[in-house]
Amino acid sequence: MRSIVLKPTLLAITVCLSLAGPANLHAENAPRILPDFVPVSWLPLMVQALTKASIPTEGIALASTRTGIQKEDSVTLLVQSIEGKTLRQWAVALIINPRKPEEKKDTSPALTLYLSTGNKIDFSSTLGEGMFIHVIGPFSQAKGSAKAKDVWSSALINPQFLGIGLDAVPAFILRMKQVADHNPSFKDKRFSIQTGSAPFPPEQIASNRAMMEPFAITAAEERSFAGGPLALMDFFNIAAQTPGAKDILFEAVDIPWLKVATHGGRFQVDFSFLDPFERLSAVDWGLPPEAKVYSMGLRISLFGEPALLCRLALTTPRVPLLNCAGIVGLAAMRPNGKGPHVMIRVMAAKPAPSAPIP
């Protein structure tokens, strides 16, 4: 699919957990400090601009029963960057739109990923769907709308990947922690699940199966472990094609440009899920009280070196939150603490009343 702009030569997803004691579950090599979620609200000038552009600024409505995307399903993101005393904001509206005629046959290839427990997860070839990306900004406290632009662009998304979401990962890890807390024999033991593009060695599979057996991981949970990073890739691919947001992305990520140049402009990308894994208040994220929202850390490495630390707020990617893979909040910064602190939050979401995309 043409929406894939980060083309990894290797995609290695690792969830490594270690038990330091019955009450403590930590991710291997987890950083001491992850970026915090910070409260965000629209700058007054942004509200005026968004109202004029008919972009919703508040309120998350979820489709009651529909699972497939439709034209005009929309999500509004507030993207905020703070560096020193400089605060900048963008509004990003993600709106499902029919594919262009030249994109009618664009598909992502079928994909198989392997788990270190010996199972494999198959993802079918998927026809890309269209998405309009409407960006307004940046607005700042100091310069107001002096440098703001109103830009439309488009991308192809993979609804199969975005529909997997990532919320099942912290949900399973929290369940795993509960089991471990009530089993003293797990003290100081390390548990891991890894996903790769090739089968794992038989001895590693045998060890991992025996290790994970007490936790009774389900097929759906395994698919989430394997597919969650694919949802992340599609989410970051959308960001990488979004005017304004892509500028923030490149400001925030510590990219080893020399290695990129020597690899023909291709990235070797690794995702690691990190603790703390926590349950959050759904109401705090503008969702119904019964919705389940989780938080977890994420480390993105390029060529084996940490490049970005994130804290994610995740929920089930019910329409229209499928547009953003169920990611309702993201805080990001460089591992060295330099550069901007980036906060992305879903501020509004609205399912379309229209007929399904043909």
Side-chain angles (χ1 to χ4, degrees):
M1 290 176 60
R2 274 179 273 178
S3 63
I4 302 300
V5 292
L6 296 177
K7 300 177 180 178
T9 55
L10 172 67
L11 178 61
I13 307 104
T14 306
V15 181
C16 293
L17 309 174
S18 61
L19 284 172
N24 297 301
L25 185 62
H26 300 287
E28 184 179 12
N29 298 322
R32 295 286 183 180
I33 300 175
L34 287 172
D36 290 325
F37 295 130
V38 297
V40 293
S41 58
W42 298 110
L43 293 172
L45 281 175
M46 288 220 70
V47 175
Q48 295 176 24
L50 298 182
T51 301
K52 184 177 180 179
S54 299
I55 296 176
T57 58
E58 302 291 342
I60 297 175
L62 303 177
S64 57
T65 57
R66 177 163 58 90
T67 57
I69 61 175
Q70 290 185 6
K71 177 184 177 182
E72 298 180 7
D73 286 342
S74 68
V75 167
T76 306
L77 304 171
L78 189 162
V79 181
Q80 178 173 284
S81 171
I82 298 178
E83 187 169 10
K85 296 182 179 180
T86 301
L87 182 151
R88 294 174 295 163
Q89 285 187 356
W90 289 256
V92 180
L94 305 177
I95 309 162
I96 298 299
N97 184 65
R99 297 178 296 277
K100 298 175 182 177
E102 64 269 23
E103 297 171 339
K104 289 292 186 180
K105 295 182 180 180
D106 281 4
T107 60
S108 62
L111 175 66
T112 296
L113 293 177
Y114 297 86
L115 294 172
S116 56
T117 53
N119 295 330
K120 68 175 184 176
I121 309 296
D122 294 316
F123 299 94
S124 61
S125 176
T126 305
L127 188 65
E129 296 291 356
M131 175 180 282
F132 277 145
I133 304 171
H134 188 186
V135 180
I136 296 179
F139 287 69
S140 69
Q141 291 176 321
K143 297 182 179 180
S145 59
K147 294 187 177 182
K149 297 179 180 180
D150 188 324
V151 181
W152 285 83
S153 60
S154 62
L156 282 179
I157 62 169
N158 187 323
Q160 177 182 207
F161 293 163
L162 292 176
I164 294 170
L166 293 115
D167 58 306
V169 174
F172 167 71
I173 292 173
L174 288 174
R175 179 168 69 79
M176 185 178 176
K177 180 182 182 298
Q178 288 182 336
V179 174
D181 283 348
H182 292 86
N183 194 329
S185 68
F186 290 163
K187 183 179 180 180
D188 298 326
K189 287 187 178 181
R190 181 169 296 173
F191 305 90
S192 67
I193 304 175
Q194 294 175 287
T195 305
S197 57
F200 287 83
E203 60 274 12
Q204 185 175 355
I205 290 174
S207 174
N208 269 256
R209 279 184 172 174
M211 184 169 46
M212 296 303 297
E213 185 177 1
F215 303 104
I217 185 170
T218 67
E221 288 167 335
E222 287 189 326
R223 187 172 182 84
S224 294
F225 272 107
L230 300 176
L232 273 174
M233 285 294 290
D234 235 35
F235 178 81
F236 281 113
N237 280 329
I238 293 169
Q241 296 176 84
T242 303
K246 68 179 180 182
D247 298 330
I248 297 176
L249 180 65
F250 281 105
E251 286 178 15
V253 177
D254 189 9
I255 299 177
W257 290 110
L258 181 59
K259 287 187 177 181
V260 173
T262 58
H263 285 74
R266 297 171 68 87
F267 291 81
Q268 178 180 313
V269 184
D270 303 297
F271 292 104
S272 296
F273 300 144
L274 308 172
D275 71 340
F277 302 93
E278 299 172 322
R279 181 81 180 266
L280 303 178
S281 165
V283 175
D284 288 347
W285 292 91
L287 294 166
E290 66 274 13
K292 294 181 179 179
V293 182
Y294 300 93
S295 173
M296 71 177 182
L298 171 72
R299 180 177 59 236
I300 301 175
S301 299
L302 300 177
F303 303 101
E305 295 294 328
L308 190 69
L309 294 177
C310 303
R311 191 186 298 267
L312 302 172
L314 309 166
T315 192
T316 304
R318 286 175 56 188
V319 172
L321 295 179
L322 182 146
N323 292 20
C324 54
I327 299 172
V328 292
L330 183 152
M333 69 179 186
R334 293 184 184 183
N336 61 12
K338 297 180 180 179
H341 180 287
V342 176
M343 182 69 196
I344 301 175
R345 174 165 176 156
V346 172
M347 301 296 283
K350 182 179 180 181
S354 57
I357 292 176

